[in-house]
Amino acid sequence: MFRKVLIANRGEIARRILRTCRRLGIATVAVYSDADEKALHVREADEAVRIGEAPVAKSYLNIEAILRAAEETGAEAIHPGYGLLSENADFARAAMERGIRFIGPSPEAIAAMGSKVAARETVKRAGVPVVPGSEGAVASADEAARIAAEIGYPVMLKASYGGGGIGMQVVHSEEELRKAFASNSARAKAYFGNGEMFLEKRVQRPRHVEIQVLCDGHGQGVYLWERECSIQRRHQKVVEEAPSPFVDEALRRDMGEAALAICRAIGYENAGTLEFLVDEEKHFYFLEMNTRLQVEHPVTEMITGLDLVEWQLRIAAGEPLGFGQGDIRRDGHAIECRVYAEDPEKMLPSPGTIARMVLPEGEGIRNDVGVEAGSEITPFYDPMIGKLIAHGRDRAEAIARMKQALDAYVIEGIRSNLPLLRVIVASDRFAAGDTTTDFLESWGKR
Ligand code: MV4
C-alpha cells in the first residue's frame, strides 16, 4: 500500500479521501488555491501545498503545479476525486510518466470513454444495448436529417464530449433539427473543445440508473448494484438512492453483467460507473461511463458496507479484490440529498459566509461536508455544501430518517436548497418511487 497520497481536489471529496487514508495509515498531502487557504481539507491533511490562484484554471486544473507538489512532498500516488482533473487522460498519463501512480483507470480507458461516440461503438461491440441512433459521429445537418428520418422523431441531438446538458437538445422535426445542429455543435466546441455530434432516438419518460463497478488489475470485477439518479434539475442530480425502486432482480443482474462486459472490453481497472437509461418496459440502454469516483458513491457504500475509496487505493496499489460477486452485500436502502448553497426557487448559486450550521445526527445518518460555520461559499467553485445520506432497513425507514434529518438541518447566512429537498422527500410521488426524469419540472416555475 502507498505510504503517502496527494489529493488533487477540494471540499467534501478531499475530506472524504483524507478520512480513508487516515484510517489506512496513509500520509496525506492537500493542495489548495488562494481561496482555500483556510479550508477544512487543508487543515486536516498532514501537509498542504499552495498550487495557485482561486480560479480552477490557475490551481486545481494546473497539471504541472499538482505534479510538482507530489514530487516535492514525495507522494507516491494522486487521488483526483471527482470533477476537475479526474477524467483527464493527459493528467493520468503525465503522472504515470513521472513515476506517480494515478488512482484511477489507465489513460487509454479514460480516453476510450471520453468520447460518447466512440464509447457507443465500443459498447455495441461488447453486445450491450445503446439507444438506437447514428453510427459514429454525424458530420452535417444534412446527414443528421437523413438519420433522424430513419429512426423517427423525436430524436435527441447530443454532443460527443458534452456534459451538464450542454450541446444536448430534444428535436421534434427536421426544421428544428437543422436549426439545432449548428448551434449545439458550436456550443459544445466552445465548452469542451470539440463539437462532434451524434443522434439517438428519444426515450420517453426514462429513468437514470447507474451501475457501480470495481475491477482489479488481476482480471476480477464485481458490480455493486445500482443507483437511481432520476431526480435531476438542469442535468444536476439532486436526490439519489440505492437500490433503485424500479429495478427488479432480473434487471439488476442483466445490467450488472452488461456493466462488467463493457469493463472487460476496455480492460478497465479501478472504480467506475456505467450510466444507463431504463424505459418504462424496463429495457436498458448504455448512456456513458464515468471513469472515476462519483458524488453519489455513499449510497452504495451504505448498502454494501464497502469503502469505495479504500478499494480505489488498494486496486491502484496492485492488490487483488479477493472477493467475488457472491460476496457483495445488499443491506437495506440508502438515500442521498445534495445540499447546495443556492436560491431554492431560481436554483442559482447563493455565495456568502455560512453564519451557523447544524448537521443532523442519528441512527443511519451520514454527513459528507466540506464546510463549517464561518466558511465562505465563493463563486469560484461548485456551490455544494455537502451531502446528507440516510440509511434504513428498508426504503420507508430510509425516507423517514431522511425527513427527520432534513428538518433538523440548519444553515444560516446563505440560502440553500433545503426547502426543495424537504418537499421532494415528503412527496407522495417520492414515497411511491415514481421518480422519472420529469419529477422536478414544475418546481421553481411557480
Ligand atoms: C436521453 C433522454 C432521452 N432519450 N437520451 C443524458 C444525459 C443526462 N444528463 C440526461 N440525458 C438524457 N438522455 C435519450 N436518447 C433523456 C435524458 C434526460 C434525463 C435522463 C435521466 C434523468 C433525468 C434526465 C433529465 C433530462 C434529460
Side-chain angles (χ1 to χ4, degrees):
M1 182 47 82
F2 308 116
R3 277 172 294 116
K4 192 187 271 191
V5 167
L6 181 141
I7 299 158
N9 215 300
R10 60 178 306 284
E12 69 88 17
I13 197 61
R15 298 186 72 210
R16 163 74 193 82
I17 297 160
L18 269 164
R19 184 146 39 94
T20 292
C21 287
R22 179 143 308 149
R23 187 168 62 72
L24 298 178
I26 300 167
T28 52
V29 182
V31 292
Y32 65 95
S33 71
D34 289 341
D36 278 340
E37 212 179 323
K38 298 192 183 95
L40 279 170
H41 80 275
V42 175
R43 291 215 309 267
E44 288 170 350
D46 297 313
E47 290 170 81
V49 181
R50 178 190 174 273
I51 50 166
E53 293 165 42
V56 287
K58 300 203 157 171
S59 48
Y60 296 105
L61 293 179
N62 185 340
I63 291 176
E64 190 48 40
I66 292 167
L67 293 178
R68 228 179 301 124
E71 283 168 348
E72 281 165 12
T73 55
E76 305 158 83
I78 297 179
H79 196 306
Y82 54 67
L84 299 175
L85 293 171
S86 63
E87 293 180 293
N88 186 314
D90 294 336
F91 179 56
R93 191 174 291 110
M96 201 170 77
E97 281 166 7
R98 284 157 76 157
I100 301 163
R101 190 88 188 140
F102 177 79
I103 300 169
S106 68
E108 293 75 24
I110 296 174
M113 289 294 158
S115 154
K116 292 198 225 319
V117 164
R120 262 172 71 86
E121 299 309 316
T122 303
V123 164
K124 269 194 264 181
R125 265 183 272 118
V128 174
V130 300
V131 186
S134 56
E135 216 154 286
V138 178
S140 66
D142 282 337
E143 192 186 343
R146 211 163 46 238
I147 297 164
E150 268 172 48
I151 60 179
Y153 291 93
V155 297
M156 297 290 284
L157 179 63
K158 295 187 177 186
S160 186
Y161 292 86
I166 294 163
M168 184 171 102
Q169 193 176 325
V170 193
V171 177
H172 298 86
S173 68
E174 179 171 336
E175 192 193 348
E176 205 183 348
L177 178 60
R178 287 184 180 280
K179 275 192 213 142
F181 190 87
S183 62
N184 281 277
S185 179
R187 241 181 129 220
K189 176 107 174 81
Y191 273 83
F192 310 106
N194 189 318
E196 187 171 76
M197 303 299 290
F198 66 107
L199 283 178
E200 285 179 353
K201 175 102 188 144
R202 186 205 182 176
V203 178
Q204 306 277 3
R205 283 173 57 83
R207 283 173 173 79
H208 174 129
V209 178
E210 57 187 32
I211 307 291
Q212 175 72 56
V213 297
L214 283 178
C215 301
D216 68 17
H218 306 267
Q220 176 79 283
V222 293
Y223 54 94
L224 306 182
W225 321 121
E226 78 283 357
R227 293 185 289 259
E228 163 78 52
C229 307
S230 297
I231 301 184
Q232 307 186 3
R233 191 132 182 290
R234 296 197 195 124
H235 306 286
Q236 178 179 279
K237 292 168 187 166
V238 180
V239 179
E240 303 103 338
E241 59 183 304
S244 164
F246 191 68
V247 172
D248 58 36
E249 286 304 330
L251 181 58
R252 180 169 292 126
R253 186 199 57 228
D254 291 350
M255 291 181 75
E257 292 298 330
L260 291 180
I262 295 166
C263 292
R264 279 193 294 273
I266 58 169
Y268 196 79
E269 186 179 326
N270 215 283
T273 297
L274 293 296
E275 295 189 353
F276 295 91
L277 285 183
V278 180
D279 71 15
E280 289 180 303
E281 282 86 50
K282 291 191 158 69
H283 299 122
F284 65 88
Y285 310 93
F286 169 84
L287 263 191
E288 59 189 87
M289 179 170 189
N290 299 311
T291 55
R292 53 166 162 84
L293 187 68
Q294 286 196 269
V295 176
E296 59 271 26
H297 77 277
V299 292
T300 298
E301 296 187 322
M302 298 290 263
I303 64 162
T304 61
L306 292 169
D307 178 332
L308 289 178
V309 175
E310 174 181 345
W311 284 102
Q312 287 193 290
L313 290 160
R314 290 194 184 285
I315 290 166
E319 291 184 28
L321 283 176
F323 51 80
Q325 194 59 45
D327 302 312
I328 308 299
R329 278 169 31 199
R330 197 169 78 244
D331 289 341
H333 201 96
I335 303 169
E336 171 179 282
C337 288
R338 297 192 189 187
V339 182
Y340 285 102
E342 64 189 9
D343 181 306
E345 269 89 39
K346 300 195 206 90
M347 274 191 87
L348 292 173
S350 169
T353 300
I354 300 177
R356 199 163 86 90
M357 181 162 169
V358 181
L359 296 176
E361 290 170 30
E363 181 90 7
I365 297 298
R366 165 173 166 181
N367 282 286
D368 284 18
V369 298
V371 293
E372 61 185 349
S375 293
E376 196 189 337
I377 304 286
T378 74
F380 295 112
Y381 312 117
D382 184 80
M384 194 172 75
I385 294 168
K387 306 177 308 203
L388 171 63
I389 306 106
H391 181 263
R393 277 163 295 187
D394 53 27
R395 191 166 184 271
E397 187 173 63
I399 291 175
R401 287 176 171 170
M402 180 60 86
K403 267 192 208 160
Q404 279 205 322
L406 285 170
D407 286 341
Y409 210 120
V410 180
I411 298 168
E412 289 172 9
I414 53 164
R415 305 204 62 184
S416 82
N417 68 337
L418 281 168
L420 168 64
L421 294 171
R422 290 180 186 125
V423 168
I424 294 170
V425 172
S427 71
D428 292 339
R429 275 189 71 183
F430 187 69
D434 181 17
T435 52
T436 53
T437 51
D438 56 357
F439 191 84
L440 285 184
E441 255 166 40
S442 56
W443 175 270
K445 289 189 183 161
R446 301 160 313 161

